[in-house]
Amino acid sequence: MPVVESRIDTVVLYQQGARVTRRLLLDCPDGKPPTELEIARLPLSLFDPTVRVRVLSTETSQADLSATHVRVGLWIPPRETPLETVDQAALRSLHQQVRALESQLREQEWEMSILGNIPIPPRPEPEEGKPPPPSPLGPRMALEQFSHEGVQSRLAEARKLREQLRRLNEEVAVLEQKIAQASTAREVTAAELYKSVHVQLRHSGAALARAELSIEYFIPGARWAPSYQCRLSRDCREVELVMRALIAQHSGEDWRGVKLVLSTASPMTWTELPELPSIRIGRAQPPPAARAGFRPAPQGAAALFADYDRDRGTLLRRLPASSPYSLSVMEAPVDLEDGYVAESAPSLPEPRRDKERKKKGSRREMREMSSRGPADGMALDDEADEVLAAPAAEMASYEEEAYESEAPPPPPSLAPIMSAPAPMPAAAPARAAPKSMAVGGRAPARPSAAGPGGASPTQSGLEAVVFTHLRLSSATDSANRNRLQPVDSRRFYLEMLARFSVTVTFDVMAVVAEAENRARSVAQMPLPGGAVDARSIGGYFDFSYAADATVDVPSDGVFHSVALGSRTGEASVLYVAVPREDTNVYRQAQVKNPLSAPMLTGPAEVYVGGEYVLSTTLPAVAPRGDFKLGLGVEQAIRCARNTKYREARTGTKIVATTELWHDLLIDLANNLDREIVCEVRERIPQPAEEAEVVVEEGTVTPAWEPYTQEERTKPLEGGRRWRVTVPANSTMKLAAQYVVKLYANNELNGGNRREA
């Protein structure tokens, strides 16, 4: 069976988990593809029931090629090629060179210590009553120069020796590793363990030279979160939105040069299309009967095996006890435990039989069995007929079946692997098992979709009917021979390792479970600061985002920032001032979403004119929608607010009112070389309900408009705003007046002022 390598082509990353698509080219030099193929070097964390193999294209349209009978097993790198022999003499020579270099290095360090410790003689002390002797400055400097140059030259030589020593140590490590590998050539380690996919190919029609196949599988635990870079031009009229994604995965395989698609969907959720009932005008009709999702198996299916059991028992009683075809030998299970030496099992020789008589008898008995229909009134579909035919075929050819292995090949109709659905919501009624789940008696229990690790790739309790992991039991199994049973993953994995003839000293299923748990652990990792998980963003619709170029994502369980692409769009800038609270003028960009899909919530780095301004969190925006982006204070625009206050009385009577006049004067100075649109926000006091106070607006220049602050979802009473255009390098004055009228008996002496 040929083993082929594949490359990762596309990765679709969902809320949690990813679907990996690999491609491979299959050469057919003889014009016919191999009947069976093995796709090797796949990660241990892949979810077995989600594996799909497709034939994408062939060179000629007259050739028909299909993939069937897909199975997932274990694989290790082949050991047929002998390991490279290690020259022990070369290793000893390298050790001698290492010792010589170490000796030279110690010698250089010893000489440097001697030269560095040479004392410089001080200036001699003068004799009493005599002038001091001249200082030997020249000899002292020459001695110091000699010491310095000697140390520097030996430092350079020591650096060269250390570099040579490092290279020799690397060569020694490589040779020692080869020796260690050669000593354990037959012992496989957990790091060498991979998964592989076995697939059968069916070819018909014209000769085939080359075909392209794809293999898909699901990886649990991978996740992503959106992030952005928002680059505005200097005048804030154009925007470049750089889409990025924070991606983490620990599947056991690096995604190198793959086409990446990010999706907000959840691939393992139960989804059903709604059925809309028809509405008719007329006399009321009884509701239609609900369609049954499962029909019970026909009664009396166990009676079909009566002849088989009788003839098989007669045949086995006639065989001698020492015969290799006796019952004890045929039904002995294969015990493959930890620490076994997996060797190829010898095949039993085919017994001598009259093939022509056997074929005639088989055809005759099959015709007799086909004439026996199911129970009266029971209609079977094609799938049920195919499953029902399996016991009949076994009965007709029992002479061959008695000498073969206990596990029959799976039905061809179960070959394509189906995606595993998640459990239905609690409110939905329980669905019965499919029609072809059982042949007789009762329907088998639904096998868990969890892998060998025992847990689901996306959520606990995920169950699915995965038909590729169901097998029709052999006719020798009287308890389950008419029912589909789940495959024992441990037994199948170990049988796949038996063909390599290697020694396994560890628990294979524990290694597979550890790889699955490692991949799922990514879902529990904390997100980087400011990031929002894609699982919390989903709404009523799901969207996908494709990367413009191929990307790389290593399998290390760490979040990596991956660039998806950039889109350019339109933008405008609005300057906002609230002089009542702050005299600064703030920039606010009005950006149009350049994406054809919604822009998800995520952190963003904002740049204006190529300079970093701030980091913020972008809101969720509909396709082609608008959003506002704060850019901080604009230093080139100034705003000043001045107020005037005066009181006036309408009369001296007891019902007279006091008028509190407030005058507001706001100055705007635009020092930019372009005109700006500035929004100045103000607020006038509002009386409480049933209060004996009246607030009236006076002269406002230019006119303002009400402002309710709806964009911040915080209603504001008494809000007003100006939206004015200020020319470049010019100023503008805004004036407003309002009066507060209250009865004279409610006034406070010296406390009527309402505006600071």
Side-chain angles (χ1 to χ4, degrees):
M1 178 173 57
V3 179
V4 296
E5 297 286 344
S6 59
R7 61 175 181 86
I8 301 179
D9 180 73
T10 306
V11 175
V12 181
L13 190 56
Y14 298 99
Q15 289 183 9
Q16 184 177 336
R19 187 179 76 244
V20 180
T21 302
R22 288 174 170 263
R23 291 198 175 191
L24 60 97
L25 290 176
L26 182 63
D27 293 326
C28 309
D30 299 334
K32 298 184 65 177
T35 58
E36 192 170 359
L37 196 66
E38 183 178 10
I39 306 171
R41 211 177 291 274
L42 302 180
L44 292 176
S45 62
L46 69 85
F47 190 35
D48 293 2
T50 61
V51 177
R52 292 173 178 265
V53 179
R54 292 187 177 94
V55 178
L56 298 180
S57 62
T58 56
E59 289 186 346
T60 174
S61 59
Q62 283 74 24
D64 184 14
L65 184 65
S66 60
T68 181
H69 195 188
V70 178
R71 297 173 297 166
V72 180
L74 294 180
W75 182 85
I76 60 173
R79 304 297 184 92
E80 290 80 12
T81 304
L83 296 175
E84 182 181 357
T85 58
V86 180
D87 189 359
Q88 296 292 340
L91 184 60
R92 287 193 297 270
S93 176
L94 288 177
H95 280 298
Q96 292 178 359
Q97 296 179 28
V98 168
R99 288 193 293 269
L101 287 177
E102 291 176 348
S103 176
Q104 295 178 18
L105 189 59
R106 288 193 298 269
E107 182 178 355
Q108 295 291 333
E109 293 175 351
W110 176 72
E111 292 179 357
M112 284 189 293
S113 64
I114 292 178
L115 291 174
N117 294 327
I118 295 178
I120 305 298
R123 183 174 183 174
E125 296 291 337
E127 296 181 6
E128 185 177 356
K130 293 183 180 181
S135 175
L137 182 60
R140 291 173 63 190
M141 292 182 63
L143 180 60
E144 187 174 357
Q145 182 70 19
F146 170 77
S147 175
H148 177 72
E149 291 179 353
V151 171
Q152 293 299 321
S153 61
R154 284 163 178 77
L155 277 175
E157 185 67 23
R159 292 192 190 98
K160 296 180 181 179
L161 292 176
R162 290 191 183 95
E163 180 63 22
Q164 296 178 10
L165 184 60
R166 183 186 65 81
R167 295 177 181 176
L168 287 176
N169 285 331
E170 290 180 354
E171 295 180 8
V172 169
V174 170
L175 292 181
E176 290 178 348
Q177 184 179 7
K178 289 182 178 180
I179 293 176
Q181 291 177 351
S183 62
T184 58
R186 284 182 54 88
E187 183 175 347
V188 62
T189 62
E192 298 177 292
L193 204 59
Y194 296 91
K195 281 187 179 180
S196 65
V197 171
H198 301 250
V199 57
Q200 292 182 359
L201 300 178
R202 295 180 179 178
H203 172 244
S204 62
L208 189 63
R210 174 175 292 185
E212 185 179 10
L213 281 73
S214 72
I215 173 174
E216 297 180 1
Y217 50 86
F218 186 82
I219 293 295
R223 60 193 297 204
W224 68 282
S227 64
Y228 306 93
Q229 284 185 352
C230 192
R231 300 182 179 273
L232 294 164
S233 59
R234 179 62 66 180
D235 58 358
C236 297
R237 297 184 182 274
E238 293 183 358
V239 61
E240 180 186 8
L241 186 65
V242 181
M243 299 174 294
R244 306 185 69 87
L246 301 173
I247 302 176
Q249 62 100 4
H250 211 329
S251 61
E253 60 179 359
D254 295 335
W255 300 341
R256 300 293 184 187
V258 301
K259 303 173 186 176
L260 181 64
V261 178
L262 303 179
S263 175
T264 61
S266 179
M268 293 293 182
T269 55
W270 182 273
T271 303
E272 284 188 347
L273 293 177
E275 295 184 4
L276 301 179
S278 60
I279 300 178
R280 299 180 181 181
I281 300 176
R283 181 175 297 177
Q285 301 291 332
R291 293 187 302 173
F294 169 71
R295 288 185 297 174
Q299 300 294 329
L304 299 176
F305 294 90
D307 296 341
Y308 173 81
D309 293 337
R310 181 191 66 244
D311 296 341
R312 179 173 179 272
T314 303
L315 177 63
L316 294 178
R317 283 194 298 270
R318 293 178 180 178
L319 293 175
S322 60
S323 174
Y325 311 121
S326 61
L327 181 62
S328 59
V329 175
M330 290 168 49
E331 297 183 351
V334 180
D335 187 13
L336 298 176
E337 299 295 339
D338 300 338
Y340 72 95
V341 178
E343 305 287 350
S344 300
S347 58
L348 297 176
E350 183 179 0
R352 298 179 180 178
R353 290 290 184 271
D354 187 356
K355 295 184 179 180
E356 188 66 21
R357 178 179 58 83
K358 179 173 60 178
K359 291 181 180 179
K360 292 181 180 179
S362 300
R363 288 195 295 267
R364 182 176 62 255
E365 293 185 16
M366 289 179 66
R367 285 195 299 270
E368 294 177 359
M369 292 302 302
S370 62
S371 62
R372 306 178 188 176
D376 295 338
M378 177 61 65
L380 298 178
D381 58 358
D382 296 338
E383 294 181 359
D385 289 340
E386 184 176 1
V387 179
L388 278 172
E394 291 178 358
M395 292 178 60
S397 56
Y398 70 92
E399 296 181 73
E400 294 181 11
E401 297 274 341
Y403 302 102
E404 294 181 355
S405 174
E406 180 177 340
S413 61
L414 305 181
I417 290 189
M418 303 174 60
S419 298
M424 294 186 301
R431 290 169 61 95
K435 295 179 274 188
S436 58
M437 279 286 291
V439 179
R442 57 179 177 82
R446 296 179 63 180
S448 173
S456 159
T458 56
Q459 56 188 4
S460 61
L462 175 63
E463 294 182 355
V465 179
V466 183
F467 291 97
T468 52
H469 280 208
L470 298 177
R471 297 292 183 267
L472 189 64
S473 299
S474 172
T476 58
D477 185 4
S478 58
N480 299 309
R481 57 187 173 189
N482 60 342
R483 300 185 183 93
L484 293 174
Q485 298 294 327
V487 176
D488 184 6
S489 300
R490 175 185 176 86
R491 181 186 181 94
F492 185 70
Y493 285 165
L494 296 180
E495 288 177 354
M496 290 296 101
L497 285 180
R499 54 203 171 102
F500 293 102
S501 300
V502 294
T503 303
V504 179
T505 59
F506 56 88
D507 189 354
V508 174
M509 301 308 295
V511 174
V512 176
E514 181 182 358
E516 294 177 353
N517 294 332
R518 189 185 308 114
R520 283 191 293 268
S521 64
V522 177
Q524 309 301 328
M525 291 175 50
L527 288 170
V532 181
D533 197 347
R535 287 178 293 182
S536 61
I537 302 176
Y540 293 101
F541 301 96
D542 292 314
F543 296 89
S544 62
Y545 305 84
D548 293 344
T550 58
V551 301
D552 297 341
V553 182
S555 174
D556 54 4
V558 178
F559 280 97
H560 298 270
S561 182
V562 178
L564 301 180
S566 62
R567 301 290 185 272
T568 57
E570 302 174 356
S572 60
V573 64
L574 176 67
Y575 296 91
V576 180
V578 188
R580 183 188 181 96
E581 304 295 336
D582 190 0
T583 58
N584 290 321
V585 179
Y586 294 87
R587 294 178 296 180
Q588 190 178 80
Q590 187 82 10
V591 182
K592 186 175 182 180
N593 179 16
L595 306 177
S596 59
M599 190 179 71
L600 306 178
T601 303
E605 300 173 356
V606 182
Y607 297 83
V608 177
E611 298 179 356
Y612 172 77
V613 176
L614 52 86
S615 295
T616 184
T617 300
L618 297 184
V621 184
R624 305 302 179 184
D626 297 337
F627 66 96
K628 293 181 180 179
L629 186 62
L631 302 178
V633 177
E634 177 56 67
Q635 301 292 344
I637 303 177
R638 298 295 180 181
C639 180
R641 181 178 185 270
N642 299 302
T643 63
K644 292 181 180 180
Y645 169 75
R646 62 185 175 87
E647 292 187 17
R649 193 177 182 90
T650 60
T652 58
K653 298 180 180 181
I654 195 65
V655 293
T657 59
T658 301
E659 297 179 351
L660 312 177
W661 290 90
H662 299 79
D663 295 314
L664 307 179
L665 182 62
I666 298 174
D667 295 327
L668 280 176
N670 177 20
N671 298 321
L672 297 174
D673 55 357
R674 64 180 183 275
E675 68 175 16
I676 63 170
V677 177
C678 186
E679 183 177 298
V680 181
R681 299 173 182 174
E682 267 294 339
R683 185 181 184 184
I684 61 176
Q686 296 296 307
E689 294 182 3
E690 301 180 358
E692 297 178 350
V693 178
V694 178
V695 178
E696 296 178 356
E697 294 184 16
T699 304
V700 179
T701 306
W704 61 17
E705 62 182 8
Y707 174 61
T708 58
Q709 199 173 254
E710 294 179 354
E711 70 277 6
R712 301 184 62 184
T713 65
K714 294 181 179 180
L716 178 68
E717 295 183 1
R720 302 291 188 270
R721 67 179 175 185
W722 286 283
R723 180 166 290 191
V724 295
T725 301
V726 185
N729 299 314
S730 63
T731 60
M732 178 173 288
K733 293 183 179 295
L734 309 176
Q737 187 182 64
Y738 68 90
V739 57
V740 179
K741 297 181 180 181
L742 66 158
Y743 291 106
N745 57 352
N746 292 333
E747 66 179 351
L748 299 176
N749 187 14
N752 292 328
R753 186 167 183 172
R754 296 295 184 268
E755 183 67 35

